[in-house]
């Protein structure tokens, strides 16, 4: 798996959304490991509900901002770890994100509230998207959004008090599930998503800081000198 694919897998995706995971696992042409994950989730969560969505949104609404270090593990459909990495991120409501991957290779994703920028230093390219077109495909932005209209596009299941699974209502989406995890203090501790190829991406958050003000400059993106801009806005 190359660096660019690893970076894109971290954040930019579209969530698929079956309401009954076991039936989806049977119907989709997924590798065995992917089907197993879906079936395991369906054994824990039988249905989605408005109540679960409300619970999740309330938990997220209490997180106005945070900064943290992250570790990421990408696992293929055979259960093999393809790559591990890490970096740091900062998030502020609504829709402000600074996601900086430092290993195994460098990349940067910044949302300034109007646009989202993906910078790949290796090929010296910046790709820009309008936020309203990208928000539904970007998990961190979903986590930081309080837009009720956006959330109407998703269904939510609950695995336990601190663990929820989000399903998009678009059956053509590439990502099958997005699991969001909290710790016992109701702080966001990580998330995991499963795509249609059976690949799992697990992100864990460490050194969470909820109290310190975040430098506003982190959410402003300046195109580096010499970088090519692919403007999709």
């Amino acid at each position: 798996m190359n660096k660019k694919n690893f970076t894109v897998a971290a954040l930019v995706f579209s969530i698929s959304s079956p309401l009954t995971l076991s039936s989806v696992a049977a119907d989709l042409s997924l590798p065995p490991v992917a089907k197993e994950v879906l079936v395991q989730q369906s054994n824990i969560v039988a249905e989605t509900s408005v109540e679960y969505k409300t619970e999740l949104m309330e938990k997220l609404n209490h997180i106005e901002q945070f900064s943290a270090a992250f570790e990421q593990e990408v696992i293929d459909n055979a259960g093999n770890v393809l790559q591990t990495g890490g970096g740091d991120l900062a998030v502020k409501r609504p829709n402000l994100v600074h996601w900086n991957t430092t290993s195994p290779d460098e990349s940067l994703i910044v949302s300034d509230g109007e646009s989202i920028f993906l910078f790949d230093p290796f090929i010296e390219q910046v790709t820009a998207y309008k936020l309203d077109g990208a928000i539904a495909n970007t998990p961190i932005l979903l986590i930081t959004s309080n837009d009720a209209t956006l959330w109407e596009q998703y269904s939510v299941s609950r695995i336990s008090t601190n663990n929820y699974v989000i399903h998009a209502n678009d059956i053509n989406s590439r990502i099958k599930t997005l699991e969001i995890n909290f710790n016992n203090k109701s702080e966001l501790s990580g998330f995991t998503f499963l795509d249609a190829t059976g690949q799992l991406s697990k992100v864990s958050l460490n050194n969470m800081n909820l109290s310190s003000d975040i430098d506003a400059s982190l959410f402003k993106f300046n195109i580096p000198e010499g970088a090519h801009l692919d403007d999709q806005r």
Side-chain angles (χ1 to χ4, degrees):
M1 185 177 187
N2 62 35
K3 172 178 70 65
K4 188 174 182 180
N5 287 341
F6 177 72
T7 302
V8 171
L11 279 181
V12 180
F13 66 87
S14 56
I15 306 171
S16 151
S17 72
L19 298 186
T20 308
L21 296 178
S22 57
S23 63
V24 171
D27 293 339
L28 290 173
S29 297
L30 294 176
V33 171
K35 289 186 178 182
E36 181 180 351
V37 171
L38 288 173
V39 170
Q40 286 175 347
Q41 290 182 341
S42 71
N43 289 337
I44 300 172
V45 182
E47 60 182 14
T48 60
S49 78
V50 174
E51 178 185 357
Y52 297 152
K53 181 189 291 189
T54 300
E55 286 181 9
L56 175 58
M57 292 182 67
E58 287 179 352
K59 283 179 178 286
L60 293 173
N61 284 340
H62 284 99
I63 304 174
E64 291 295 329
Q65 64 174 27
F66 72 86
S67 59
F70 74 87
E71 296 177 354
Q72 181 174 344
E73 187 175 66
V74 178
I75 303 168
D76 69 14
N77 56 39
N80 302 309
V81 177
L82 295 177
Q83 198 169 62
T84 59
D88 56 85
L89 78 154
V91 170
K92 189 171 185 178
R93 282 180 170 265
N95 306 324
L96 299 178
V97 175
H98 180 99
W99 177 282
N100 180 38
T101 300
T102 57
S103 68
D105 299 287
E106 295 183 3
S107 65
L108 178 64
I109 299 174
V110 174
S111 169
D112 63 8
E114 296 182 357
S115 300
I116 183 167
F117 301 89
L118 285 68
F119 176 47
D120 186 336
F122 183 74
I123 60 174
E124 296 186 303
Q125 178 168 304
V126 177
T127 306
Y129 301 93
K130 289 184 64 176
L131 186 63
D132 57 3
I135 189 168
N137 300 324
T138 309
I140 282 292
L141 293 179
L142 181 62
I143 288 170
T144 65
S145 175
N146 52 15
D147 185 345
T149 302
L150 174 66
W151 277 92
E152 287 178 359
Q153 302 174 38
Y154 299 88
S155 301
V156 176
S157 303
R158 188 179 68 185
I159 294 176
S160 67
T161 302
N162 293 321
N163 300 283
Y164 297 81
V165 180
I166 295 176
H167 322 275
N169 297 327
D170 179 1
I171 62 174
N172 296 315
S173 299
R174 295 190 308 271
I175 296 297
K176 301 308 161 190
T177 62
L178 169 63
E179 181 178 333
I180 297 181
N181 312 116
F182 298 87
N183 60 24
N184 290 331
K185 297 180 181 180
S186 293
E187 298 170 345
L188 187 66
S189 61
F191 47 91
T192 300
F193 51 93
L194 171 69
D195 69 22
T197 69
Q199 181 173 287
L200 284 168
S201 294
K202 298 182 177 181
V203 177
S204 59
L205 304 178
N206 306 294
N207 302 320
M208 181 74 73
N209 188 334
L210 299 170
S211 58
S212 299
D213 287 336
I214 299 175
D215 188 344
S217 66
L218 288 177
F219 307 119
K220 296 179 180 180
F221 186 82
N222 297 312
I223 299 174
E225 184 177 354
H228 169 71
L229 173 62
D230 178 12
D231 197 335
Q232 299 293 320
R233 294 172 292 181

